[in-house]
Amino acid sequence: MSLFKRQAPERATNPNAKEGPGPDRLPPGQYLTRKWPVLSYERTPSFPPDWRLKISGEVEQPFELTWEEFLALPRVTITTDIHCVTTWSRFDNTWEGVHIREILKRARPLPSARYVMAHSWTGYTTNMPLSSLDDDDVLIAIKHDGKDLEPDHGGPVRLVVPKLYFYKSAKWLDGLEFMAEDRPGFWEMRGYHNRGDPWAEERYW
């Protein structure tokens, strides 16, 4: 049973656009919604006045960025689909933020770095292979569809990893820990799949 707080989504028809894996953009077992449901286990937190983005672990150059330093990094705009483990999908989300490779080129992961744990200032964590993080469509987002990212959706700063179920896109991001060995995060310890590939319906262990 999911522990998410749910907001009922509005269903929409699938336009059958030929993007993403397979002949159809909608992964198996998913339905399309125009709305963006709010799903969180935690209460929506306030933004810490002393927020830092902490890059740690198996990297040549661990570092921290203040909010002002983070905002000064180069930004990109990327449009992606997103897929929730609770079976809804939303197409054509436009994100603005810092591409993950801006972070990787500064941190310089060591050859031993094979996995990453994303950390939130709420204590939430989620793990993934470094190969899933280091992808063309992964970014640390501060805007969604032209507006500041709302706190209920992880604002003002959220990891976005579109090719995995959306519990891997940590809300309220404040750290990336590079690891030699994998270990499960918050939902992964509670039965959600360790990898979370929507196209393989990797919902639960």
Side-chain angles (χ1 to χ4, degrees), residues 5 34 64 66 72 88 96-97 101 113 118 125 137 156 170 186 200:
K5 298 173 186 173
R34 294 187 183 93
E64 295 186 6
T66 66
W88 61 263
E96 180 182 329
R101 286 174 181 152
T125 55
D137 57 2
F186 178 88

Side-chain angles (χ1 to χ4, degrees), residues 107-184:
R108 299 193 299 276
L110 296 167
S112 55
R114 299 172 55 226
Y115 301 94
V116 181
M117 186 74 78
H119 293 264
S120 304
W121 68 80
T122 61
Y124 180 84
T125 55
T126 189
N127 59 307
M128 67 200 73
L130 176 56
S131 58
S132 294
L133 186 77
D134 184 7
D135 203 351
D136 291 340
D137 57 2
V138 175
L139 77 164
I140 301 174
I142 58 173
K143 290 182 180 291
H144 177 264
D145 287 350
K147 298 178 181 179
D148 289 344
L149 191 57
E150 295 180 4
D152 282 348
H153 291 302
V157 56
R158 175 183 192 148
L159 182 65
V160 177
V161 186
K163 290 187 177 69
L164 301 179
Y165 282 127
F166 217 42
Y167 63 90
K168 297 291 188 177
S169 294
K171 295 181 176 183
W172 312 305
L173 185 74
D174 74 349
L176 293 171
E177 176 190 357
F178 292 79
M179 308 181 298
E181 302 295 333
D182 196 15
R183 69 178 193 269

